[in-house]
Amino acid sequence: MTVLEVRTRGREEVSDITADVAAAVARSGVKDGLCLVSVPHTTAGVTINENADPDVKTDILSALKHVVPASLPFRHGEGNSDAHVKASLVGSSATLIVEEGKLRLGTWQGVCFCEFDGPRRRQVWVKVWGEKG
Ligand code: ZN
């Protein structure tokens, strides 16, 4: 397993980690298989979405803010319940296809790390398995 370190700068941000995941796939030596990207945090997540137009990342954060306003009457005493709910909405893992030694993503797709309660030092766990060539 590869552990990626992600340092987030704002309370909420979506960052493109595709290159780091692709590098972990290359290092694994797997030619044909699967890649699991897992985020071991309760206020951050991962999603596959567009990495071409940065406005998409901004729109995802802004839509999630509307769906889960921080002003809702939450009970959790830590004061970051909106972040917990957003993390559950985007999910904490993504499974990707590895073909010919490379991540198989759609033309506009990228692996997007989603921070909802930063800034923090985060980890992303990447596990690649399958046939080695
Ligand atoms: Zn909390």
Side-chain angles (χ1 to χ4, degrees):
M1 183 180 88
T2 299
V3 177
L4 304 176
E5 305 284 343
V6 178
R7 186 168 210 157
T8 60
R9 290 172 298 270
R11 179 164 195 259
E12 298 191 331
E13 67 185 43
V14 175
S15 46
D16 182 1
I17 59 167
T18 311
D20 296 322
V21 175
V25 169
R27 278 194 306 272
S28 75
V30 170
K31 299 295 173 204
D32 189 28
L34 292 171
C35 171
L36 177 72
V37 180
S38 179
V39 172
H41 304 290
T42 60
T43 55
V46 66
T47 189
I48 307 301
N49 215 299
E50 175 158 342
N51 67 358
D53 179 1
D55 283 345
V56 173
K57 296 182 178 77
T58 309
D59 287 347
I60 288 172
L61 288 176
S62 128
L64 284 170
K65 228 174 234 181
H66 281 276
V67 174
V68 191
S71 59
L72 286 176
F74 295 114
R75 295 170 58 101
H76 176 53
E78 206 184 7
N80 61 353
S81 280
D82 63 314
H84 287 290
V85 175
K86 288 168 192 163
S88 274
L89 288 176
V90 300
S92 64
S93 69
T95 310
L96 300 164
I97 295 168
V98 174
E99 222 171 53
E100 294 172 8
K102 290 180 182 161
L103 276 182
R104 184 80 193 249
L105 286 163
T107 307
W108 306 108
Q109 284 185 318
V111 185
C112 305
F113 179 82
C114 304
E115 173 65 81
F116 298 115
D117 195 26
R120 297 192 196 209
R121 282 170 177 271
R122 300 293 203 175
Q123 287 192 347
V124 177
W125 296 348
V126 181
K127 178 81 180 177
V128 187
W129 71 101
E131 292 172 28
K132 299 193 177 188

